[in-house]
Amino acid sequence: MTDTLEGRPPGGGVIGTRVPKLDAPDTATGRARYGADFHLPGLLVGRILRSPHAHARIVSIDTSRAAALPGVKAVLTGRDAPQEPYGFGPYGGDNLPLKIDRVRWVGDEVAAVAAVDDDVARAALDLIEVTYDPLPAVFDPYEALEPDAPQLHDQLPGIEGNVSMRWDFDEGDLDAAVAASDVVVDNHYATPQAVGAPMEPHVTTAAFDANGHLTVWSPVHMPYMFRKQLADALGLDWRRITLERPTVGGSFGSKIDIDPHDFITVMLARVTRRPVRIAFDREEEFVAARTRQPFRFHLRTGATADGRLTFRDADIVSDNGAYNAWGSHAMLVVMNTVTSLYRVPAVRVRSRVVYTNKPYGSSIRGFGNPQATFAVESQMDELALELGTDPLALRLRNANEPGDITPQRMRITTCGLRECLETVRARSGWRERRGRQRDRNRGLGVAAYIHVGGGARIYRSDGCGAILKMDDAGQVSLITGGSELGQGSETVLAMIVADELGVPLEAVRVVNADTDVKPWDVGVHASRTTFVAGNAARLAAADARRRLLDAAAEKLGARPEELTIADGIISVREDPDRSVDYARVARGELLREGGGTITTEAFYDPPTEMQDKDFYGNISASYGFGAQVAEVEVDPDTGAVRLLDLWVAQDVGRALNPLLVEGQIEGAAVMGMALALSEELTLDDGAVVSQSLRTYGFPKMTDVVRPDITLVETGDAEGPFGAKGAGEGGIIPTAAAVANAIADAVGVRPTEFPMRPWKVHGWLGDADDADG
Amino acid sequence: MAEVHQPTDVGEAGSILAELGDEAVAVAGGTDVLLERRLGRIDPGHLVDLSGLTGLDRVERHDGTFRVGALARLGTVLGDVPVRDELPALAEAAAGVGTPLVRNMATLGGNVCQAAPHGEVTPALLVHDAVATVAGPDGERQVATADLVIGPRETSLATGELLTAITVPAPADHGATYIPFDPAGVGVAVGLRVADGAVTEARVALCWCVPFPQRVADAEAALLGAEAITGEVLAQLAGAVAAACDPPHDPVYGPVDHRRHVAGVLSGRAARVAWQRAAGSWPVGELCPPGGPGSEEAT
């Protein structure tokens, strides 16, 4: 079906225009209904009792006093309810919704209550008596690798030490490449545990109807995977589960996983036979939401004297936390960047995903890539310093180009990296200002990225379905597999349908459907919704267009190929006076004898491959690129870093809606600024102590700058109307650009982020000591 | 579940509080009390809502002295032009609290009476020798700020007493500032009187990096009599402030050594700003940015 789309220009002309988000008025005026905004008759409040220990045996749990409290409808422990292990990994599921005999992090779920209101539920938690036998805990991934380290998952057969996964990759002759290098730089980098910190904390509601059919309301990215995992772990019939998604108040990847509280909500609803809701407050959101995984890198990069990269050699450890959720697989994205950002002929990666007694991770925006890019791009600047060359010129010399096949056999089609680098160089005044403001403690730094931009095949299918229905008024309903999380995908999908069909945007409505209605989709991740759900929507619209033209041809006495549709009017191309309104045609199809609804469906699965066991494979149908230059001022007395400016250029393939894609880039870059300078989950003996937006380092408006954004359009052949994925790119290189700017400003090399004042002050002090 | 009381005047509020004693907590803006309660750090049986008390939310100025009602919102204080012009330290302290939405709820009196380590307003009041007006069963009494805030989460208010207003003198030869540094959890205020080119009166107060907001006598001694803010004065001042800096363990603000160092750096910046304000060389109405003017601008 794809071939019928090629070569035809867009129809109605809405593509490429700055259409505000269609849901913005409802969101801005408080009409949007979020997951905690609706009531069900008999709704109970669920609350979870969490472990205060980072590692302990559960000796006993006495729930009798809690159960006796008036208003308590159920108290559950891991022994009371059927549950199977879940989670990802080679040794099987490592997690249980409610723990039975052991807890592995401060926050692990030990018991749960359902009560008539929140005060009773909280009071009931205080009455549950748990006896623990504390075990030694380990918080550092390198310490967790020591032979005598506390073992987190010795119950999993086959596991060695705390290594959950070990992924190695080799390409090219590393020894020869090292020997051929004139310069080699070698350094260690560390990245923090951070969270998505969405405005709406996690909230899940579950209700069984009288026939035993379960409905779950949850702000998930992946409704179908969620449903399967829910059914598998709780022994439910997955045909009898409906997953509804209320309006989502932000996620940034933190809501991608099914989490223990989701299962527990259903367990409580099952045992009480009443609807139950578990809603986190802000503190619980910081303690219990999935995180961005911390990484440790030991990285070496080599180059020839004329600045050609020769090799990269990386030893990487993911500080996984207690269990394998999505975050455990961020290493795969990290590997992509280590092997494929810039042309590197020889690469060795040794990586381990290591259990620690800490919160565990999800796929927060960028999914490992900001971490990997920080290491790779910091080292590019160190290399430039060794070579005595301009860091941006060094990047241009090694930039990926269209047609490249990377060491992991990712096939680069369109590639705007060079143009992005040249754009931020020009807009930032790089040549005139970089390296020339040290007397004012000011500096400029650059960093770039590569990221999947055409889906990411992490599952057998990377597909998404679309159903399109036209009614007697000419209203076009797109029922998409894609899921709106606030990123604006429904607006873009509506624009794609309007343009492909040639009808006004107002005629198109995107239905945020539940799983009873919604066609299958992998879910929202990897910046894939515009690309994959967009292509599916476009295919369904193209089919509907054909149906319309076939029907109109009869009415207009012309052949279908002689017709065109613009702004809802179907006309004969050579004789525009012969025309008919598309709605009239749709109505005619319904009302004629033997008529029917114009309903079409499509399924788009990008032409990609899963990586094989050696990590080769073209996982995405397109790759996104971008570059950023940051300008900072360092206060050497306190170590405070002020971001002065951020210039961003991003290859978006084609900007289907410049307003929205700029919004995505701006939002992501602001997250990148905070990641660079302030955001960090602070743990004290394994316990999250940064339980407020302020102590977590969430930025105020005065802490960030409005980025200067240039959209680079390379016109991707596979993307819908030329677009490629863009939602994550803005966050990926920011921390590295800021680190490189600090190095330019004050001559010290940051090796970790966030670059909080005491770290910068410490690096400056170390440099003074070295000088002294 | 707490019982909520809604008195409509100071006398009624005082008698409810007197009757309930330790069982009750007064709620002004609620931004601190309600959070503390939700986090389970306090569990009062009764909440006495002060929002029905009228006439306590005004900012008034008479003859170089300000009288600020205890229920004045911090947003009101920050937006008051005479305050910005003549009591910029108080405006800077108000600006250091939360976000505009929080400042439109939080009150001056609430910030002072919570006596929290991070209570931003108190240092600004301390360096102005502000005096609190307290209403109780036996009538009104006046008490110096330092005698009102006397310990971590502790004031000298007797049961049944309410803070109703703060009187803040703002003489022309006095200059003051409050400078916070959020990432490290440090707040420093300095107030100076400068006559004939020398410091005749010096006040230095800290919050956030101390158990409760308080003055630092040794730091004040370092400034008293100074004829310029020299390197020697700064070193003494910073040393005294760093020595007084005694934060409770809280890793979100980084290493204690860095907090002490920053407190010392900020005290120097604050002293320069205060001097400039006392000498009339700082632009009237311009607030000092968080973190203070950079070292470059200050020298």
Side-chain angles (χ1 to χ4, degrees):
Chain A
M1 276 162 72
T2 311
D3 57 348
T4 60
L5 295 171
E6 280 173 3
R8 206 176 61 227
V14 72
I15 287 292
T17 63
R18 304 176 73 85
V19 176
K21 278 172 75 172
L22 301 177
D23 57 345
D26 273 357
T27 309
T29 56
R31 286 178 174 82
R33 196 183 76 155
Y34 296 91
D37 286 346
F38 64 98
H39 185 71
L40 297 171
L43 182 67
L44 299 175
V45 174
R47 287 243 158 239
I48 294 168
L49 183 70
R50 299 179 178 279
S51 166
H53 297 283
H55 200 186
R57 289 201 180 285
I58 301 173
V59 177
S60 64
I61 307 177
D62 182 351
T63 60
S64 55
R65 288 176 63 213
L69 186 70
V72 171
K73 299 299 175 186
V75 184
L76 282 183
T77 71
R79 294 189 189 280
D80 301 332
Q83 48 171 356
E84 292 294 326
Y86 77 102
F88 311 107
Y91 308 105
D94 60 3
N95 202 353
L96 276 174
L98 282 170
K99 280 59 186 181
I100 293 174
D101 53 9
R102 197 157 151 201
V103 288
R104 296 179 176 85
W105 65 290
V106 179
D108 229 346
E109 296 78 7
V110 175
V113 301
V116 292
D117 66 34
D118 196 42
D119 283 341
V120 175
R122 286 176 190 268
L125 290 189
D126 289 343
L127 296 175
I128 298 173
E129 289 164 26
V130 187
T131 308
Y132 295 97
D133 176 15
L135 297 168
V138 61
F139 305 121
D140 180 279
Y142 289 124
E143 287 172 20
L145 288 167
E146 297 292 326
D148 56 350
Q151 300 297 303
L152 272 83
H153 286 287
D154 37 327
Q155 86 285 1
L156 294 176
I159 193 165
E160 285 174 36
N162 286 311
V163 178
S164 166
M165 281 164 289
R166 182 189 297 273
W167 288 319
D168 295 343
F169 177 78
D170 293 275
E171 176 69 10
D173 185 339
L174 192 83
D175 292 340
V178 173
S181 302
D182 297 308
V183 172
V184 174
V185 287
D186 182 325
N187 212 344
H188 295 259
Y189 309 91
T191 73
Q193 192 147 32
V195 293
M199 279 297 115
E200 178 205 38
H202 283 67
V203 53
T204 300
T205 309
F208 287 88
D209 71 13
N211 293 322
H213 188 98
L214 170 64
T215 301
V216 179
W217 292 260
S218 182
V220 291
H221 294 222
M222 305 186 146
Y224 282 93
M225 287 206 189
F226 180 102
R227 190 180 67 169
K228 169 116 179 41
Q229 287 179 288
L230 186 66
D232 286 351
L234 299 187
L236 298 165
D237 179 350
W238 61 331
R239 295 169 303 183
R240 306 195 68 208
I241 303 173
T242 301
L243 212 286
E244 287 213 27
R245 297 177 62 263
T247 303
V248 181
S251 165
F252 314 107
S254 67
K255 294 169 181 166
I256 197 168
D257 283 283
I258 187 164
D259 285 323
H261 73 274
D262 294 310
F263 296 108
I264 292 168
T265 309
V266 174
M267 291 158 86
L268 290 169
R270 203 183 204 181
V271 69
T272 59
R273 300 178 180 215
R274 281 173 69 166
V276 175
R277 173 173 299 152
I278 291 182
F280 288 3
D281 56 25
R282 181 57 63 192
E283 291 77 20
E284 195 168 20
E285 182 71 16
F286 277 111
V287 170
R290 301 284 74 78
T291 70
R292 178 187 297 283
Q293 279 331 97
F295 277 82
R296 308 286 189 89
F297 297 86
H298 177 203
L299 186 66
R300 292 195 304 151
T301 305
T304 57
D306 67 347
R308 298 277 170 196
L309 296 181
T310 48
F311 76 94
R312 269 196 205 119
D313 181 15
D315 186 274
I316 313 169
V317 166
S318 164
D319 183 357
N320 188 57
Y323 302 103
N324 287 348
W326 263 71
S328 61
H329 283 58
M331 189 67 88
L332 293 173
V333 178
V334 168
M335 188 189 283
N336 289 345
T337 286
V338 171
T339 63
S340 303
L341 179 58
Y342 308 116
R343 291 171 159 179
V344 193
V347 183
R348 176 168 69 181
V349 176
R350 297 288 174 269
S351 78
R352 285 162 291 180
V353 176
V354 181
Y355 286 123
T356 50
N357 293 106
K358 299 205 299 205
Y360 53 106
S362 184
S363 121
I364 311 289
R365 203 173 200 170
F367 198 18
N369 207 349
Q371 296 97 306
T373 300
F374 179 79
V376 166
E377 284 291 59
S378 294
Q379 192 139 83
M380 285 297 279
D381 264 42
E382 292 171 73
L383 195 60
L385 192 66
E386 283 290 311
L387 288 164
T389 188
D390 177 80
L392 204 150
L394 179 68
R395 287 170 172 81
L396 283 170
R397 197 168 307 155
N398 294 282
N400 307 93
E401 300 285 354
D404 280 2
I405 295 176
T406 79
Q408 284 187 268
R409 300 192 192 144
M410 289 148 60
R411 289 194 291 277
I412 293 172
T413 53
T414 50
C415 174
L417 178 56
R418 180 172 296 277
E419 193 180 338
C420 288
L421 284 164
E422 286 167 349
T423 300
V424 291
R425 178 167 66 183
R427 292 193 70 81
S428 66
W430 177 270
R431 285 198 177 97
E432 302 77 39
R433 304 197 308 125
R434 197 242 160 209
R436 295 185 188 174
Q437 303 184 87
R438 198 169 284 187
D439 57 330
R440 302 159 71 201
N441 299 308
R442 288 187 176 192
L444 269 66
V446 67
Y449 77 86
I450 180 173
H451 198 67
V452 291
R457 190 170 297 271
I458 44 104
Y459 193 67
R460 271 184 302 161
S461 171
D462 192 20
C464 176
I467 298 168
L468 196 146
K469 171 182 85 82
M470 220 178 286
D471 67 17
D472 56 344
Q475 182 186 314
V476 181
S477 299
L478 173 71
I479 304 156
T480 173
S483 297
E484 173 72 78
L485 304 173
Q487 75 274 48
S489 62
E490 290 186 356
T491 303
V492 170
L493 294 175
M495 292 169 73
I496 287 172
V497 167
D499 227 58
E500 186 62 35
L501 265 177
V503 303
L505 184 62
E506 302 76 57
V508 183
R509 188 169 170 79
V510 179
V511 180
N512 175 19
D514 57 42
T515 48
D516 292 354
V517 177
K518 203 185 213 3
W520 191 85
D521 177 42
V522 175
V524 181
H525 77 115
S527 305
R528 72 186 275 282
T529 300
T530 292
F531 195 97
V532 180
N535 267 332
R538 192 177 183 194
L539 290 167
D543 202 15
R545 177 190 169 102
R546 272 191 294 274
R547 295 268 303 271
L548 275 176
L549 293 187
D550 286 350
E554 237 174 277
K555 279 195 194 318
L556 295 172
R559 283 178 291 125
E561 53 273 25
E562 293 173 331
L563 303 181
T564 184
I565 318 182
D567 211 22
I569 304 298
I570 304 173
S571 59
V572 180
R573 206 176 280 113
E574 303 299 328
D575 184 7
D577 287 346
R578 284 158 64 199
S579 67
V580 60
D581 188 284
Y582 82 100
R584 200 183 164 86
V585 176
R587 196 155 54 240
E589 279 298 282
L590 265 172
L591 300 180
R592 71 177 164 83
E593 196 178 332
T597 318
I598 295 186
T599 303
T600 62
E601 69 93 19
F603 189 82
Y604 176 78
D605 189 19
T608 54
E609 310 150 4
M610 274 189 101
Q611 285 179 350
D612 64 18
K613 62 177 177 44
D614 296 319
F615 303 101
Y616 293 112
N618 189 43
I619 53 166
S620 186
S622 177
Y623 295 89
F625 296 87
Q628 298 185 1
V629 166
E631 181 169 17
V632 302
E633 181 179 290
V634 179
D635 177 351
D637 294 335
T638 61
V641 177
R642 189 155 65 99
L643 184 66
L644 303 173
D645 264 309
L646 188 74
W647 293 270
V648 178
Q650 190 163 321
D651 170 9
V652 299
R654 181 167 178 211
L656 303 186
N657 181 332
L659 182 68
L660 291 197
V661 77
E662 284 167 14
Q664 282 286 290
I665 293 169
E666 187 172 297
V670 166
M671 286 186 86
M673 297 172 202
L675 204 54
L677 292 174
S678 61
E679 287 191 6
E680 183 171 21
L681 213 53
T682 302
L683 305 187
D684 197 12
D685 273 337
V688 174
V689 292
S690 52
Q691 294 185 19
S692 66
L693 293 169
R694 181 171 60 77
T695 54
Y696 170 66
F698 199 78
K700 294 186 190 183
M701 287 306 283
T702 46
D703 298 323
V704 299
V705 296
R706 166 160 280 188
D708 174 280
I709 297 169
T710 305
L711 302 177
V712 171
E713 299 194 302
T714 50
D716 195 82
E718 182 67 23
F721 297 109
K724 52 171 87 169
E728 295 169 283
I731 195 177
I732 295 169
T734 316
V738 169
N740 291 338
I742 290 172
D744 184 40
V746 290
V748 299
R749 165 54 49 193
T751 51
E752 59 185 273
F753 66 88
M755 291 161 270
R756 299 177 103 178
W758 51 90
K759 290 188 203 157
V760 176
H761 193 254
W763 291 320
L764 285 163
D766 294 345
D768 282 351
D769 293 347
D771 290 349
Chain B
M1 294 290 258
E3 189 178 337
V4 177
H5 305 263
Q6 298 190 293
T8 54
D9 63 51
V10 172
E12 187 190 355
S15 49
I16 293 172
L17 286 166
E19 189 186 322
L20 296 170
D22 290 348
E23 286 289 291
V25 168
V27 181
T31 54
D32 188 72
V33 171
L34 298 184
L35 185 66
E36 290 287 299
R37 178 173 176 269
R38 187 164 65 75
L39 295 177
R41 292 174 187 153
I42 57 171
D43 186 19
H46 299 265
L47 295 173
V48 182
D49 172 14
L50 304 181
S51 64
L53 277 50
T54 52
L56 298 183
D57 59 351
R58 286 196 283 271
V59 180
E60 294 162 317
R61 181 182 176 282
H62 300 291
D63 304 328
T65 296
F66 284 80
R67 184 181 161 89
V68 186
L71 295 180
R73 309 281 177 186
L74 293 179
T76 306
V77 172
L78 176 58
D80 190 88
V81 173
V83 168
R84 293 173 79 103
D85 288 351
E86 296 177 49
L87 283 182
L90 189 59
E92 286 154 357
V97 178
T99 60
L101 296 175
V102 173
R103 292 194 287 269
N104 287 341
M105 293 296 293
T107 66
L108 182 96
N111 190 283
V112 173
C113 289
Q114 280 306 105
H118 59 267
E120 299 87 343
V121 169
T122 302
L125 299 178
L126 286 170
V127 303
H128 270 283
D129 287 340
V131 175
T133 302
V134 172
D138 308 323
E140 280 192 356
R141 66 184 176 101
Q142 308 292 314
V143 55
T145 310
D147 297 325
L148 177 67
V149 177
I150 56 171
R153 298 265 173 199
E154 188 186 352
T155 67
S156 60
L157 292 176
T159 304
E161 281 190 327
L162 277 177
L163 172 70
T164 55
I166 302 269
T167 306
V168 195
D173 60 350
H174 187 270
T177 185
Y178 168 80
I179 302 182
F181 189 84
D182 284 19
V186 175
V188 181
V190 172
L192 299 176
R193 281 185 100 141
V194 178
D196 300 326
V199 174
T200 58
E201 201 175 280
R203 298 282 182 270
V204 178
L206 299 180
C207 66
W208 217 346
C209 54
V210 280
F212 65 98
Q214 56 195 270
R215 279 169 60 182
V216 182
D218 289 351
E220 294 174 353
L223 288 165
L224 193 63
E227 293 178 351
I229 307 293
T230 61
E232 194 183 338
V233 169
L234 283 179
Q236 271 191 41
L237 172 65
V241 164
C245 190
D246 179 24
H249 172 71
D250 200 341
V252 301
Y253 299 118
V256 170
D257 282 354
H258 181 254
R259 296 182 76 176
R260 289 204 176 102
H261 169 79
V262 168
V265 170
L266 293 196
S267 67
R269 291 180 182 175
R272 286 173 189 279
V273 175
W275 177 287
Q276 287 175 41
R277 281 181 172 158
S281 59
W282 180 277
V284 171
E286 186 175 312
L287 299 188
C288 179
S295 50
E296 186 190 333
E297 286 117 295
T299 45

